[in-house]
Amino acid sequence: MPKSGPTHFVIDDHGPVRIIGLDVKIPGLHHGLIDEGAANWLDNVLAQAPDRPAIIMMHQPPFATHVPYLDAYCCHEGRRLAEVVSRYPAVERIVRGHVHRFMLVRFGETVLCTAPSTTAAIALQMRPDAQPASYIEPPGFLLHHWTEETGLVTHLVPIGSFPGPYTFA
C-alpha cells in the first residue's frame, strides 16, 4: 500500500553532514507549502543534533524569485522555514530545484541555492508582464563539498564538452 502524507527523511549515517529531505509538495499542484507539521518535524530533527552540519533539500522555492511565472510555483509560508532554520546555525545550505535556474539567496540565517537545469532553462524575465518561456542553455548541476575547515563549498558545474584544458597562469 502506498504511503500517504509527506515523505520527509534524514540521512544521518553517511558522513559528517546530515542530509534532510523536507517534503513540501502538495499533490496535484505546482506550488508547495511549509505547513505547521513540516515546520515542527524539521525543528525536531534539527534539535536532535543542533551542532551537526546539515543540508536541507526541498523542491519549490520558499522565496520570491521575481520571475512572475515562477513565483506562482513557489512554496507558500516560507517564513515558517526561515524561522526554524534561523535557530540552527549548523544548517549549511538549503538546496532546491523546481525553477530550472541557478539562484542564490540569504535565507533564515543560511544560504539557499537552486539548481540549474539539466534540460530546458526557464527564461530569466523579471518584468511583471513577462510571458512564460524557456531556452536551451548549457545544462548544469551543483556539487556541494564539505570539510571541517571550510564548511560547505558549492560549485556550479556546466555539463558538456568545452574547449580546453588550457594552461593555468
Side-chain angles (χ1 to χ4, degrees), residues 97 99-102 114-122 134-142 156-159:
V99 294
H100 291 236
R101 295 215 60 81
F102 175 73
T114 67
S117 177
T118 57
T119 60
I122 302 300
S134 60
Y135 292 92
I136 302 301
E137 295 178 358
F141 64 93
L142 300 178
L156 172 60
V157 183
I159 300 169

Side-chain angles (χ1 to χ4, degrees), residues 3-27:
K3 180 182 176 189
S4 63
T7 54
H8 308 305
F9 66 88
V10 180
I11 300 173
D12 263 336
D13 56 354
H14 292 335
V17 179
R18 299 174 84 200
I19 307 296
I20 300 170
L22 184 63
D23 182 1
V24 298
K25 67 183 178 297
I26 302 170

Side-chain angles (χ1 to χ4, degrees), residues 89-126:
V91 173
E92 293 272 348
R93 197 83 75 248
I94 303 171
V95 297
R96 34 142 330 278
H98 194 60
V99 294
H100 291 236
R101 295 215 60 81
F102 175 73
M103 295 178 214
L104 189 66
V105 65
R106 186 99 180 121
F107 184 88
E109 304 302 317
T110 192
V111 175
L112 186 152
C113 59
T114 67
S117 177
T118 57
T119 60
I122 302 300
L124 179 57
Q125 301 184 80
M126 300 170 81

